[in-house]
């Protein structure tokens, strides 16, 4: 049976400021969902809250995977249950080699009961596997030896996120603007990469402002976020409409949420 | 992560060759606590020193007494100079068995694989046991080339001329209160002379230990690298944990003559009650290269700023410094570069890690004297703070009396590594694993500079430190 990620009435605060005000969403393995919305509407906040960032406090509501409440779990425990976030802004970690890091990650995810300091997956099989995935993503194998995201271009960082996704086989993947700031070649590589990886075993939530990623990965559902709430849900046509016409009509239909969003945009600008 | 490091279980710890002496009743000579003319006289007499050294010590004592405590740096209010033994001499050959060493200390050594490191590099090892060097061997071919490597007390006896020519010329007692203290009560340390053109390919090593309660350790190291010669000296310090405070106040003087190259590597891991107040200074002459690699872990308070005086054109100086401040620890470390001549260059790389309420400070000085034109200096300091209880501060001083110079200073603080932690944890790494990985990566550029054995040791030390509160 396919797994279900269920978000119920989720309220999230950052530094005591309420950002998400009751988000509901259900994502099944095998489904693709698009999440759209103007800047400051709370898309990244939802992504972080799902991944378990300690600064994003869940003040009400719940996140469940197959009926198990994961709201209180730390990020690594969620990851071991199949959650994955491709970051909008991947961090740089100097001195930590890509291969070393991914080998640790893979060892933990594939062997969720692994204890501190216990064996890592075999070097030979790991090397073979990462090499194959890197080739598929058009990445130079040399990157495995580099320090994580250190001196990487925007596109290289995003590819590195997709590489990790390919190695970790998550049940649920959230892609936060993975296509932003990339040239069209890089967008194509990332879009094709995702299309190849997603399938019946992966539920995907794509946060995007562009159409390209969705062209390669057509969503069954499109959600529109405004002022910390999901104000509309539709199919791929909705995404297309928003790309073509922007959020003006959405704001008109949801004046309260629009007002909240305007406030958030104002404070964000300060 | 040092997953490829050899397992310490394979290391024959039973063979730990320096042994451990826990009971200080076995000491051959122990001065009473405190410091006065009588004690200083006694130390000199015990060592059968020439009159000039005795007078030097007594004069240094006066200097020490006349100087106020430094008002900057760390908190030394609980340091009581009268509650310290200034000199002890251990009787020889009373090795305890490894089984008698306290469990926690044993485990630490165990995990560090120290005996292995010692065995592999036995070439020319000196180990300081309390105040007196009780173990030493010098590789024969070094002796043949005229290299002198001995403890400093023996050097005074056996090589009086060269000793006197350089001793205290780089760091006179008047330099600072703790240099004066060391000058009054110094004991042990290493003495090295490398003749012109001689290249020593392997690192010369010494392990130091403070091993008895309230025991000050005041080693005095003097190293002369003659023209066109080169050498690398490595010093590692580990101290067992005791309940009351100990003082470590060393003086290290180095001369690198024209065209010489010298690197001095230290890894210190004092127990958490040690005040570690060390004066280190090198003078580098024409086209010479002097490098300090300085790793500071442990101790209650460390104040240490290895200095390089660039005396003649073409001299280069480089300091790599790393500090790890854990619970109840303050690392006040840095570097000092003094450009006394034109066309000299210096580089300071400092990395500090603060954790569990620890505090680390970078304190550095780059000074360019009048007439020292076309100097270059580059200072990079990075601080990593692992939690919101911990602190890091930077005190970069730059004094330039010359126009035509290029000085760069970059400071960056990884303000609480929480985004990095979250990133790694979101990929399934536990908090402990993630922090160890971040810290190991952070110091990687420095660890890379260490000899293999020490790199392994350093990574293990870091892992041990990281185990503290996380996970
Ligand atoms: N770490 C943070 N600190 C303070 N405010 C934040 C933080 N993250 C998000 N916010 C605020 O939450 C709101 C939603 O931001 P975000 O989730 O990043 O929106 P989106 O991804 O849709 O552009 C904005 O008002 C933003 O300023
Ligand atoms: Mg965002």
């Amino acid at each position: 049976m396919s797994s279900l990620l269920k978000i119920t009435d989720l309220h999230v605060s950052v530094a005591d400021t309420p950002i998400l005000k009751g988000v509901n969403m259900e994502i099944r393995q095998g489904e693709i969902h698009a999440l759209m919305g103007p800047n400051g509407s709370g898309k990244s906040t939802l992504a972080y809250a799902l991944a378990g960032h300690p600064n994003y406090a869940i003040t009400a509501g719940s996140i469940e995977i197959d009926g198990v409440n994961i709201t209180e779990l730390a990020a690594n425990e969620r990851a071991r249950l199949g959650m994955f976030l491709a970051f909008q802004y991947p961090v740089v970690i100097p001195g930590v080699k890509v291969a070393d890091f991914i080998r640790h990650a893979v060892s933990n995810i594939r062997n969720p009961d692994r204890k501190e300091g216990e064996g890592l997956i075999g070097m030979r099989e790991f090397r073979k596997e990462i090499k194959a995935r890197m080739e598929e993503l058009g990445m130079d194998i040399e990157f495995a030896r580099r320090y994580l995201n250190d001196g990487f271009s925007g596109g290289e960082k995003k590819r590195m996120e997709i590489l990790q996704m390919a190695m970790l086989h998550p049940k649920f993947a959230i892609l936060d603007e993975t296509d932003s700031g990339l040239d069209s070649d890089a967008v194509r590589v990332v879009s094709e990469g995702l299309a190849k990886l997603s399938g019946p075993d992966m539920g995907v939530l794509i946060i995007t402002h562009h159409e390209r990623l969705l062209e390669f990965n057509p969503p069954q559902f499109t959600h529109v976020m405004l002022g910390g709430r999901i104000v509309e849900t539709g199919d791929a046509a909705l995404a297309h409409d928003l790309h073509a016409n922007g959020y003006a009509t959405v704001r008109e239909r949801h004046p309260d949420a629009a007002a909240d969003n305007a406030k958030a945009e104002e404070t964000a600008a300060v | 992560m040092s997953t490829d490091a050899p397992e310490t279980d394979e290391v024959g710890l039973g063979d730990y060759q320096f042994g451990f002496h826990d009971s200080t009743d076995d000491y051959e000579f122990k001065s009473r606590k405190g410091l006065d003319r009588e004690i200083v006289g006694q130390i000199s007499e015990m060592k059968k020193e020439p009159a000039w050294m005795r007078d030097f010590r007594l004069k240094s004592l006066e200097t020490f007494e006349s100087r106020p405590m430094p008002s900057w740096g760390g908190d030394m209010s609980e340091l009581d100079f009268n509650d310290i033994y200034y000199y002890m001499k251990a009787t020889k050959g009373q090795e305890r068995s490894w089984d008698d060493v306290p469990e926690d200390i044993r485990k630490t050594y165990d995990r560090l694989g120290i005996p292995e490191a010692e065995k592999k590099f036995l070439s020319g090892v000196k180990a300081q046991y309390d105040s007196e060097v009780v173990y030493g061997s010098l590789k024969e071919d070094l002796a043949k080339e005229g290299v002198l490597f001995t403890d400093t007390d023996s050097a005074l006896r056996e090589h009086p001329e060269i000793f006197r020519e350089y001793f205290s010329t780089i760091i006179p007692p008047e330099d600072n209160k703790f240099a004066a203290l060391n000058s009054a009560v110094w004991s042990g340390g290493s003495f090295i002379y490398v003749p012109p053109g001689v290249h020593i390919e392997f690192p010369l090593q010494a392990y130091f230990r403070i091993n008895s309660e309230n025991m000050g350790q005041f080693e005095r190291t003097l190293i002369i690298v003659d023209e066109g010669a080169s050498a690398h000296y490595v010093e590692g310090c580990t101290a067992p944990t005791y309940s009351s405070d100990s003082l470590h106040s060393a003086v290290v003087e180095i001369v690198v003559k024209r065209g010489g190259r010298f690197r001095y590597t230290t890894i210190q891991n004092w127990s958490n009650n040690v005040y570690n107040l060390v004066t280190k200074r090198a003078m580098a002459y024409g086209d010479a290269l002097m490098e300090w690699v300085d790793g500071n872990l442990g101790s209650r308070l460390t104040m240490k700023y290895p200095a390089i005086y660039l005396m003649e054109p073409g001299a280069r100086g480089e300091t790599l410094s790393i500090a790890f401040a854990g619970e109840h620890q303050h690392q006040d470390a840095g570097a000092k570069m003094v450009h006394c001549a034109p066309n000299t260059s210096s580089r300071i790389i400092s990395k500090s890690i603060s954790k569990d309420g620890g505090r680390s400070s970078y304190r550095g000085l780059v000074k360019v004297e009048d007439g020292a034109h076309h100097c270059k200096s580059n200072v990079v300091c990075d601080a990593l703070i692992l939690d919101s209880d911990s602190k890091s501060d930077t005190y970069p001083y730059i004094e330039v009396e010359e126009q035509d110079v290029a000085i760069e200073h970059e400071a960056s603080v990884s303000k609480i590594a929480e985004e990095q932690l979250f990133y790694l944890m979101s990929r399934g790494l536990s908090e402990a694993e993630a922090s160890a990985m971040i810290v190991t990566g952070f110091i990687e550029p420095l660890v890379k500079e260490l000899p293999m054995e020490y790199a392994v040791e350093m990574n293990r030390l870091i892992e041990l430190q990281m185990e503290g509160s996380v996970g």
Side-chain angles (χ1 to χ4, degrees):
Chain A
M1 224 210 49
S2 67
S3 285
L4 174 69
L5 172 65
K6 189 171 176 201
I7 304 161
T8 311
D9 191 34
L10 196 68
H11 287 68
V12 174
S13 289
V14 182
D16 292 330
T17 306
I19 310 285
L20 297 190
K21 295 154 189 164
V23 171
N24 294 287
M25 199 183 287
E26 285 190 16
I27 302 175
R28 281 203 172 273
Q29 263 180 310
E31 292 176 354
I32 296 180
H33 294 240
L35 177 60
M36 301 178 65
N39 281 334
S41 57
K43 305 181 297 294
S44 292
T45 302
L46 177 64
Y48 280 131
L50 291 174
H53 194 300
N55 293 355
Y56 290 73
I58 296 173
T59 54
S62 67
I63 307 165
E64 288 168 35
I65 292 181
D66 295 335
V68 177
N69 192 335
I70 63 162
T71 314
E72 299 292 325
L73 297 187
N76 57 320
E77 294 166 312
R78 298 185 193 196
R80 290 179 195 204
L81 290 174
M83 188 77 88
F84 181 90
L85 167 63
F87 285 67
Q88 183 173 4
Y89 305 107
V91 298
V92 175
I93 310 188
V96 172
K97 289 202 178 84
V98 166
D100 199 24
F101 155 59
I102 296 183
R103 191 168 166 222
H104 275 78
V106 166
S107 301
N108 285 331
I109 300 288
R110 292 191 193 165
N111 179 11
D113 300 324
R114 176 178 175 264
K115 302 259 174 346
E116 206 68 39
E118 271 179 17
L120 298 171
I121 68 157
M123 194 56 182
R124 197 184 295 246
E125 59 171 304
F126 172 74
R127 208 175 273 161
K128 203 170 131 198
E129 189 181 339
I130 197 169
K131 191 161 173 270
R133 295 294 91 75
M134 290 179 87
E135 273 165 15
E136 283 162 17
L137 289 167
M139 298 174 79
D140 189 340
I141 186 74
E142 201 47 45
F143 274 86
R145 257 169 257 154
R146 285 179 60 178
Y147 296 148
L148 189 57
N149 294 325
D150 199 355
F152 287 22
S153 71
E156 287 162 351
K157 284 182 185 168
K158 297 295 173 75
R159 253 184 248 198
M160 189 50 70
E161 295 294 292
I162 300 298
L163 172 66
Q164 292 170 41
M165 190 170 88
M167 292 297 289
L168 297 176
H169 310 298
K171 282 187 192 165
F172 299 102
I174 305 149
L175 287 84
D176 192 357
E177 302 205 18
T178 300
D179 51 357
S180 294
L182 303 188
D183 61 33
S184 59
D185 272 359
V187 171
R188 188 181 44 78
V189 171
V190 165
S191 304
E192 285 173 352
L194 176 63
K196 226 179 286 171
L197 292 168
S198 62
D201 292 335
M202 204 192 287
V204 188
L205 180 64
I206 300 174
I207 301 172
T208 181
H209 291 297
H210 309 286
E211 228 168 341
R212 200 68 185 277
L213 192 49
L214 297 180
E215 265 169 33
F216 279 86
N217 301 275
Q220 288 92 30
F221 304 91
T222 301
H223 310 274
V224 184
M225 194 174 250
L226 191 66
R229 272 156 288 187
I230 303 284
V231 292
E232 289 188 12
T233 294
D235 55 17
L238 175 58
H240 187 73
D241 176 60
L242 292 170
H243 281 131
N245 305 314
Y247 295 101
T249 53
V250 175
R251 286 182 212 267
E252 276 165 28
R253 288 197 291 268
H254 307 278
D256 291 354
D260 277 0
N261 208 88
K263 243 185 281 167
E265 276 174 286
E266 224 168 82
T267 40
V270 173
Chain B
M1 317 243 11
S2 59
T3 39
D4 298 325
E7 287 301 318
T8 40
D9 304 1
E10 297 160 12
V11 178
L13 290 168
D15 299 333
Y16 193 63
Q17 49 203 312
F18 303 136
F20 286 83
H21 296 59
D22 291 333
S23 160
T24 48
D25 296 340
D26 292 339
Y27 283 83
E28 200 173 84
F29 172 80
K30 183 161 98 175
S31 67
R32 66 182 153 78
K33 276 186 182 175
L35 186 59
D36 52 33
R37 287 183 69 84
E38 191 190 329
I39 285 181
V40 169
Q42 229 174 30
I43 293 173
S44 192
E45 198 176 316
M46 284 296 303
K47 293 173 174 291
K48 301 190 177 66
E49 289 176 346
W52 75 264
M53 182 55 79
R54 184 172 174 279
D55 297 343
F56 171 82
R57 287 179 183 274
L58 289 169
K59 194 161 165 290
S60 301
L61 177 65
E62 284 169 25
T63 307
F64 168 71
E65 285 167 343
S66 68
R67 287 298 175 91
M69 288 291 273
S71 56
W72 49 274
D75 177 12
M76 283 178 273
S77 57
E78 282 178 44
L79 176 56
D80 181 357
F81 289 110
N82 290 317
D83 196 31
I84 287 169
Y85 294 106
Y86 285 88
Y87 181 60
M88 274 187 212
K89 187 174 175 186
T91 40
K92 284 171 189 151
Q94 286 179 330
E95 270 127 54
R96 285 213 166 188
S97 83
W98 180 247
D99 295 338
D100 295 332
V101 177
E103 178 74 19
D104 57 328
I105 294 163
R106 212 160 57 190
K107 264 198 201 143
T108 307
Y109 289 151
D110 216 334
R111 307 240 343 233
L112 293 178
I114 281 174
E116 183 168 76
E118 289 185 358
K119 265 184 214 150
K120 282 203 176 157
F121 278 106
L122 248 172
S123 43
V125 166
K126 294 281 160 196
Q128 175 145 342
Y129 181 78
D130 283 357
S131 301
E132 200 79 352
V133 171
V134 295
Y135 179 84
S137 78
L138 180 59
K139 229 183 160 181
E140 294 225 328
D141 44 350
L142 279 184
K144 268 183 228 144
E145 296 209 68
V147 174
L148 307 177
F149 183 22
T150 178
D151 68 275
T152 310
D153 291 280
S154 305
L156 171 60
R157 277 193 307 273
E158 293 160 19
H159 314 288
E161 275 161 35
I162 186 165
F163 184 97
R164 206 170 169 178
E165 185 182 343
Y166 295 99
F167 180 82
S168 98
T169 58
I170 296 109
I171 304 172
E174 296 75 29
D175 190 80
N176 68 73
K177 189 173 179 74
F178 292 97
L181 176 65
N182 175 282
S183 298
V185 299
W186 72 268
S187 201
S190 293
F191 173 86
I192 301 173
Y193 171 75
V194 189
V198 172
H199 301 287
I200 305 176
E201 306 294 343
F202 55 88
L204 299 163
Q205 308 219 353
Y207 278 91
F208 293 90
R209 246 186 262 133
I210 289 183
N211 211 10
S212 98
E213 197 173 356
N214 283 343
M215 229 311 282
Q217 181 155 338
F218 304 95
E219 85 265 12
R220 180 99 192 186
T221 287
L222 176 59
I223 297 170
I224 300 122
V225 177
D226 217 322
E227 293 189 4
S230 68
H232 180 189
Y233 177 73
V234 186
E235 165 197 61
C237 301
T238 49
T241 313
Y242 281 104
S243 55
S244 57
D245 297 336
S246 283
L247 172 62
H248 174 249
S249 189
V251 164
V252 178
E253 299 181 282
I254 293 170
V255 181
V256 190
K257 296 202 178 171
R258 178 178 299 277
R261 295 169 79 99
F262 184 64
R263 175 184 282 197
Y264 191 111
T265 299
T266 309
I267 295 180
Q268 293 196 311
N269 181 27
W270 300 109
S271 61
N272 292 349
N273 55 333
V274 171
Y275 290 91
N276 183 33
L277 311 164
V278 175
T279 310
K280 287 178 154 178
R281 187 174 305 161
M283 291 196 177
Y285 289 87
D287 299 319
L289 171 64
M290 170 67 207
E291 298 168 292
W292 295 108
V293 178
D294 207 55
N296 299 295
L297 297 95
S299 86
R300 171 179 183 154
L301 169 66
T302 287
M303 287 171 65
K304 183 159 48 142
Y305 324 97
I308 304 174
Y309 282 65
L310 302 157
M311 307 296 290
E312 290 176 354
R316 287 178 295 152
E318 183 162 326
T319 300
L320 295 178
S321 156
I322 174 166
F324 191 116
E327 195 177 2
H328 303 309
Q329 296 177 349
H330 182 186
Q331 303 284 359
D332 197 275
K336 193 168 153 181
M337 294 288 179
V338 184
H339 294 259
C340 309
N343 297 304
T344 50
S345 65
S346 67
R347 192 154 81 109
I348 299 171
I349 298 173
S350 157
K351 300 216 163 220
S352 73
I353 299 147
S354 316
K355 178 176 174 282
D356 296 334
R359 176 175 175 202
S360 58
S361 319
Y362 165 79
R363 192 181 298 277
L365 170 69
V366 175
K367 187 172 177 178
V368 179
E369 297 196 335
D370 192 12
H373 51 85
H374 295 94
C375 286
K376 269 192 246 158
S377 180
N378 175 247
V379 180
V380 180
C381 43
D382 287 332
L384 182 69
I385 305 172
L386 286 168
D387 51 63
S388 51
D389 298 331
S390 305
K391 256 188 88 170
S392 160
D393 21 40
T394 309
Y395 307 97
Y397 300 97
I398 297 173
E399 291 171 23
V400 180
E401 292 168 19
E402 181 63 42
Q403 300 285 314
D404 204 354
V405 296
I407 297 194
E408 298 160 3
H409 178 94
E410 306 158 32
S412 77
V413 174
S414 306
K415 165 185 100 286
I416 315 187
E418 59 188 6
E419 294 308 322
Q420 296 180 340
L421 269 178
F422 172 60
Y423 187 89
L424 295 184
M425 286 178 71
S426 80
R427 302 302 187 237
L429 277 69
S430 71
E431 183 172 353
E433 223 174 3
S435 1
M437 190 173 267
I438 293 166
V439 170
T440 308
F442 179 72
I443 60 168
E444 212 264 350
L446 198 137
V447 170
K448 231 170 31 193
E449 296 296 315
L450 298 175
M452 236 292 279
E453 309 294 320
Y454 279 78
V456 170
E457 190 170 317
M458 189 72 176
N459 279 330
R460 278 173 194 271
L461 271 169
I462 293 288
E463 276 165 33
L464 285 176
Q465 304 269 346
M466 295 310 298
E467 274 170 18
S469 70
V470 284

